[in-house]
């Protein structure tokens, strides 16, 4: 049996749209910080006597759709390893999955690492990131963890579409305060939302054109620990991503009333001198980045609008644990 852990991550320059849906190749690059407080732990055991894979998610057998997604992913590893063994997969998140927080990033990174080891494959870190990407685009960034840059790549087989660390977790001790504004799964998953944006939003090509400029600003901002510059780029990237989705037909709108209220509060806090900025993914929650000393102020400003709050420091790479 092999056990692996991986942290979730939040993009500061967003990934939204694919250049190849089958291989899950991104339409542009992205940049993220891994979250130490959001971790998936996954055990993989080869089970040659079983007819099919058995997947347990947070203590219960996985639904048909979730279990199929895992089996299709394991098929990639079985083909590469020349094995047709079924597997037993036990995966646990240390954060509330029901809140609709993205668990696919940490989930597919931990699964990739554990399954590659269990099936006896030897992959480089870049190859692991390429593999995790097949499960979920953002999972590619959870393999290196820390501050990670995902490359869009050019190869049609996706071998150069991987993420690498640009700086380790310790490089910049920021906090990500996850403000949970709703419970329950989201209506439109990220793949469906991206597809609808790509197919029907007149703003999709314009959005994709902005990403390289944002990456060219965000990478040096991270390296120089330039909070103001990172704040400007991250909010710009988030709002442009959502603008492209909102302009789809029918529009993909992930925000609720609390989301919008919190955007205004974060902006007025920054105007009053508190170093904070926001980003938002394919759901209604608001992720606020700040210096550790500003966490109490963020909690106070959000208290009456949120269901729950998770505070996270930067996290490290996906890794194999002792079984
Ligand atoms: O990894 P996916 O396919 O769930 O897509 C993630 C999309 C966003 O979270 C909205 C943006 C990002 O870069 O993580």
């Amino acid at each position: 049996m092999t056990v692996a852990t991986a942290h979730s991550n939040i993009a500061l320059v967003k990934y939204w749209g694919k250049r190849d849906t089958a291989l899950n190749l991104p339409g542009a690059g992205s940049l993220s910080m891994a979250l130490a407080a959001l971790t998936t732990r996954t055990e993989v055991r080869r089970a040659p006597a079983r007819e099919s894979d058995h997947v347990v998610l947070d203590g219960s057998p996985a639904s048909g759709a979730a279990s199929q997604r895992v089996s299709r992913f394991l098929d990639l590893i079985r083909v590469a390893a020349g094995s047709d063994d079924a597997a037993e997969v036990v995966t646990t998140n240390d954060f509330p999955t029901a809140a609709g927080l993205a668990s696919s990033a940490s989930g597919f990174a931990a699964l990739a690492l554990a399954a590659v080891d269990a099936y006896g494959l030897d992959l480089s870190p870049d190859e692991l990131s390429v593999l995790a990407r097949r499960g979920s685009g953002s999972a590619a960034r959870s393999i290196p963890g820390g501050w990670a840059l995902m490359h869009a790549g050019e190869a049609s087989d996706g071998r150069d579409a991987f993420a690498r660390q640009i700086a380790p977790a310790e490089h910049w001790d920021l906090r990500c305060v996850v403000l949970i504004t709703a419970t329950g799964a989201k209506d439109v998953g990220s793949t469906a939302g991206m597809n609808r944006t790509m197919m029907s939003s007149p703003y999709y090509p314009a959005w994709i054109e902005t990403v390289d400029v944002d990456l060219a600003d965000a990478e040096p901002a991270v390296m120089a620990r330039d909070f103001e510059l990172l704040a400007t780029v991250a909010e710009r990237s988030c709002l442009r991503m959502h603008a492209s989705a909102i302009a789809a037909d029918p529009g993909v709108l992930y925000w609720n009333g609390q989301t919008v209220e919190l955007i205004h509060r974060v902006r007025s806090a920054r105007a009053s001198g508190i170093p904070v900025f926001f980003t938002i993914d394919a759901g209604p929650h608001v992720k606020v980045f700040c210096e550790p000393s500003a966490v109490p102020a963020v909690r106070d400003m959000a208290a009456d609008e949120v269901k729950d709050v998770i505070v996270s420091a930067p996290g490290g790479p996906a890794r194999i644990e002792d079984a």
Side-chain angles (χ1 to χ4, degrees):
M1 181 182 88
T2 306
V3 184
T5 55
H7 300 300
S8 187
N9 70 78
I10 299 291
L12 298 160
V13 175
K14 298 294 186 193
Y15 151 57
W16 195 250
K18 306 177 200 267
R19 68 183 159 90
D20 182 308
T21 315
L23 291 176
N24 216 16
L25 291 173
S30 54
L31 187 146
S32 61
M33 186 187 97
L35 301 180
L38 273 68
T39 310
T40 300
R41 178 185 186 279
T42 299
E43 300 173 9
V44 176
R45 188 183 284 107
R46 275 163 86 161
R50 277 194 178 272
E51 289 207 343
S52 58
D53 299 321
H54 184 66
V55 183
V56 175
L57 200 68
D58 283 333
S60 312
S63 70
S67 161
Q68 270 173 24
R69 199 168 163 197
V70 169
S71 287
R72 277 201 305 272
F73 185 76
L74 290 174
D75 286 343
L76 301 171
I77 294 163
R78 282 188 276 254
V79 167
S83 164
D84 53 13
D85 287 357
E88 288 167 4
V89 177
V90 178
T91 184
T92 331
N93 293 319
D94 71 350
F95 53 94
T97 327
L101 283 178
S103 52
S104 65
S106 50
F108 278 102
L111 179 63
L113 194 56
V116 157
D117 188 79
Y119 281 85
L121 288 177
D122 186 21
L123 298 190
S124 70
D126 290 349
E127 288 169 331
L128 274 167
S129 177
V130 163
L131 174 67
R133 190 204 73 229
R134 298 288 298 272
S136 151
S138 53
R141 302 186 306 241
S142 282
I143 293 290
W147 298 85
L149 178 65
M150 174 78 197
H151 299 273
E154 287 173 4
S156 56
D157 66 358
R159 65 179 181 276
D160 54 356
F162 51 73
R164 280 187 186 161
Q165 254 197 27
I166 56 167
E170 307 74 51
H171 166 73
W172 196 2
D173 192 29
L174 288 190
R175 291 291 175 275
C176 176
V177 185
V178 182
L179 303 175
I180 297 172
T181 64
T183 49
K186 54 199 173 200
D187 298 340
V188 185
S190 56
T191 296
M194 282 183 209
N195 283 340
R196 202 192 295 169
T197 304
M198 288 152 60
M199 305 283 288
S200 66
S201 173
Y203 300 165
Y204 179 68
W207 146 251
I208 288 293
E209 273 178 32
T210 67
V211 179
D212 280 347
V213 176
D214 287 349
L215 289 173
D217 284 339
E219 185 175 358
V222 168
M223 298 320 293
R225 302 186 196 91
D226 183 336
F227 191 91
E228 273 302 311
L229 180 57
L230 190 61
T232 303
V233 181
E235 290 192 358
R236 183 170 83 198
S237 176
C238 164
L239 292 174
R240 286 174 175 169
M241 172 207 131
H242 284 276
S244 75
I246 290 168
D249 186 16
V252 182
L253 178 57
Y254 287 110
W255 303 349
N256 59 27
Q258 287 72 37
T259 317
V260 177
E261 176 60 25
L262 290 167
I263 291 174
H264 288 299
R265 289 190 193 177
V266 169
R267 288 191 147 179
S268 63
R270 189 157 80 257
S272 74
I274 305 174
V276 285
F277 66 84
F278 67 83
T279 187
I280 303 156
D281 293 298
H285 314 305
V286 178
K287 287 102 184 194
V288 180
F289 282 76
C290 62
E291 301 283 346
S293 59
V295 169
V298 175
R299 284 185 182 277
D300 283 354
M301 90 174 69
D304 60 330
E305 296 288 340
V306 298
K307 303 250 188 292
D308 203 356
V309 177
I310 300 173
V311 180
S312 184
R319 51 178 225 190
I320 300 281
E321 306 283 340
D322 292 335

